[in-house]
Amino acid sequence: MAGLVYQVHPSVNLYGNVGRGFETPTFAELAYRSDGTTGLNFALQPSTSVNTELGVKAFLPGGQRLTFAAFHIDTKNEIVVDTATGGRNTFKNATRTTRNGAELSWGARMLETLDLLAALSYVDARYRDDFTTVPAPGQPAITVPAGNYMPGVPRRTFYGEARWAPAGQSFSTAFELRYSDRIYASDANAEWADPYSVVNWRIVFEQRASDWRISEFLRIENLFDKQYVGSVIVGDTNRQFFEPAPRRNAIVGVNAVTKF
């Protein structure tokens, strides 16, 4: 990897990176062969990629922070799901894929007690070449055309947070908003999970004593008890692609940190 940073102003930096990536298959991806025979799937090859990124990081008036990055990734031998049935997933190498995208984040402190944060990302992940896949054992192979979206990758995601921490007090509270765009569940792009938005709430109490810092927290996930698809099983040959997210639920915990 190589990178360059240029300081336009003491509060504004421009940067650029270019690098090559190498991803070996995991043991889970090697575990099963597509033809059903025993043994590891040694036909699965590593994927390689070339990554470029341009961005800017800036401190704005009023304590605001802004970052923006645009990226382009070309990958060869992308590791993709070949079949997924009966709890067993097999994998294969596609040909070439491309990811083009951008990320934007903004943060600020308002009124000395309110912290705001917003982060937006966009990624256009597509296959660059046609390839064939077998949707289920015993079924004929189908052709996935170039230009199809890669499954499991939402095009747009958003995260927003408003955190209130009263001056001189030992607690803070925050609301979080998460948004995820449509997620395709198969290479054919015939099935997908709908977009969703979900709101979470948390409150944190903190105490300090000597070298110890102790905090107790309560989180309410899915505050408005929304029904939505939390994850997808890419390429499931039984067509059971979708896994529901938990309804409204609570998490309680304690953190203890010390220095020594």
Side-chain angles (χ1 to χ4, degrees):
M1 175 179 286
L4 181 67
V5 178
Y6 176 70
Q7 189 179 71
V8 180
H9 183 271
S11 61
V12 180
N13 284 340
L14 301 178
Y15 70 92
N17 298 318
V18 61
R20 299 192 65 184
F22 179 85
E23 181 183 358
T24 58
T26 66
F27 281 116
E29 291 168 338
L30 292 169
Y32 302 108
R33 297 184 178 183
S34 299
D35 59 8
T37 59
T38 59
L40 298 178
N41 183 15
F42 288 118
L44 196 60
Q45 299 298 308
S47 65
T48 59
S49 60
V50 177
N51 317 275
T52 55
E53 178 183 9
L54 294 173
V56 58
K57 298 183 178 182
F59 289 99
L60 304 178
Q64 302 179 76
R65 305 172 304 280
L66 180 70
T67 63
F68 174 78
F71 60 87
H72 173 80
I73 304 172
D74 280 326
T75 302
K76 295 180 180 179
N77 289 326
E78 183 82 45
I79 299 173
V80 299
V81 173
D82 190 14
T83 63
T85 182
R88 292 188 174 188
N89 287 24
T90 63
F91 297 83
K92 65 178 292 183
N93 294 106
T95 49
R96 299 179 299 169
T97 63
T98 298
R99 296 171 176 84
N100 294 303
E103 298 176 343
L104 174 68
S105 68
W106 170 85
R109 165 155 286 196
M110 304 290 184
L111 307 175
E112 299 300 322
T113 60
L114 181 63
D115 291 316
L116 301 178
L117 174 65
L120 176 67
S121 67
Y122 171 83
V123 57
D124 186 73
R126 298 177 186 251
Y127 295 111
R128 292 182 60 189
D129 303 296
D130 300 346
F131 69 95
T132 59
T133 186
V134 179
Q139 293 187 11
I142 63 172
T143 298
V144 177
N148 268 25
Y149 294 108
M150 295 180 62
V153 181
R155 296 186 73 188
R156 287 170 287 264
T157 58
F158 174 81
Y159 176 83
E161 177 180 302
R163 175 180 174 270
W164 182 57
Q169 302 297 318
S170 60
F171 80 95
S172 65
T173 184
F175 285 97
E176 306 165 358
L177 171 65
R178 289 192 299 111
Y179 168 81
S180 178
D181 204 356
R182 170 187 294 188
I183 301 177
Y184 287 103
S186 66
D187 294 318
N189 293 174
E191 301 85 10
W192 61 83
D194 290 330
Y196 69 86
S197 299
V198 64
V199 175
N200 305 319
W201 172 75
R202 72 175 187 266
I203 186 169
V204 179
F205 297 90
E206 185 176 286
Q207 303 85 42
R208 295 176 182 265
S210 185
D211 293 332
W212 284 89
R213 185 179 68 187
I214 301 174
S215 61
E216 306 84 25
F217 67 88
L218 167 66
R219 289 185 59 87
I220 305 297
E221 304 276 347
N222 194 1
L223 184 62
F224 298 112
D225 201 26
K226 188 168 185 176
Q227 298 185 53
Y228 65 97
V229 175
S231 63
V232 299
I233 302 173
V234 173
D236 189 282
T237 49
N238 295 316
R239 304 185 66 80
Q240 297 177 352
F241 302 106
F242 309 115
E243 297 180 318
R247 302 293 295 268
R248 184 189 298 118
N249 61 95
I251 303 171
V252 179
V254 176
N255 290 324
V257 178
T258 186
K259 296 180 180 180
F260 58 88

